[in-house]
Amino acid sequence: MDEIINRVAQSALTSLNLEELKHPGERVVYDIKDNLFHGLILREKDFRDFIKTHDWSQYDGKNVAIVCSADAIVPTWAYMLLASKLQGHAHRYVFGGLEALEQELFHEAIAGINPEDYRDAKLVVKGCGTDPVPTYAYVAIMQKLLPVTSSIMYGEPCSTVPLYKRPKA
């Protein structure tokens, strides 16, 4: 019998699964509309009272997207005040929706990658999985690793789309 050889396992390809960079913490939205008087304006005294009495520990370790879904003008300091209370509780907080939050979480994870770990690598960036990865992360990983890798492909080691190959010197 002929032995079946797994050429993918024997190849010099380095695989990177961006799904593994996804922060495991819960994502929540804080909508400042709930603090508006008649859904229209933010009253400073009422807001400051809320800030003092609100249980901020409920955000411990969570990732928070701060938004205002109402058509209202909210002063910038209000968002800053919210941020000051989330500090020390939330893992990460951003102004914007869940998409902005996810982008920031991936930005943080990609920033922690040491490009030297991929020096001269033939890299395959995994392209399909169970958890969605924002397109931002794929573009950001190219920016981070393109200068050091010898090639970058997208997909699975057995079926890749070539994206970049370092020119011969």
Side-chain angles (χ1 to χ4, degrees), residues 7-65:
R7 291 193 176 133
V8 172
Q10 293 178 344
S11 73
L13 297 177
T14 300
S15 191
L16 176 61
N17 184 355
L18 293 180
E19 209 174 85
E20 293 172 358
L21 299 180
K22 189 170 186 169
H23 189 271
E26 183 180 347
R27 282 105 170 113
V28 296
V29 174
Y30 183 90
D31 195 341
I32 204 167
K33 80 169 174 45
D34 298 331
N35 300 107
L36 299 177
F37 180 70
H38 293 297
L40 298 171
I41 60 172
L42 187 78
R43 290 170 52 176
E44 183 176 355
K45 182 183 181 324
D46 294 343
F47 188 61
R48 286 190 180 274
D49 288 344
F50 166 79
I51 291 292
K52 286 179 189 170
T53 61
H54 187 67
D55 177 17
W56 297 102
S57 67
Q58 66 183 293
Y59 301 99
D60 286 352
K62 295 180 182 174
N63 300 293
V64 183

Side-chain angles (χ1 to χ4, degrees), residues 63-79:
N63 300 293
V64 183
I66 303 169
V67 299
C68 183
S69 63
D71 188 18
I73 297 172
V74 177
T76 304
W77 61 260
Y79 296 110

Side-chain angles (χ1 to χ4, degrees), residues 108-123:
E108 177 182 54
I110 290 169
I113 292 175
N114 181 359
E116 289 304 314
D117 293 345
Y118 297 90
R119 170 80 49 201
D120 298 324
K122 291 178 176 148
L123 181 64

Side-chain angles (χ1 to χ4, degrees), residues 85-154:
K85 293 302 179 178
L86 288 168
Q87 184 70 29
H89 290 286
H91 168 261
R92 177 72 57 225
Y93 53 88
V94 299
F95 175 76
L98 290 172
E99 187 176 314
L101 177 61
E102 205 61 42
Q103 182 170 322
E104 178 60 26
L105 290 169
F106 271 98
H107 175 80
E108 177 182 54
I110 290 169
I113 292 175
N114 181 359
E116 289 304 314
D117 293 345
Y118 297 90
R119 170 80 49 201
D120 298 324
K122 291 178 176 148
L123 181 64
V124 177
V125 179
K126 189 172 178 187
C128 58
T130 55
D131 283 338
V133 174
T135 303
Y136 161 83
Y138 291 99
V139 173
I141 204 67
M142 288 295 287
Q143 184 175 21
K144 179 104 180 187
L145 298 180
L146 197 72
V148 296
T149 58
S150 70
S151 67
I152 299 179
M153 295 160 275
Y154 173 83

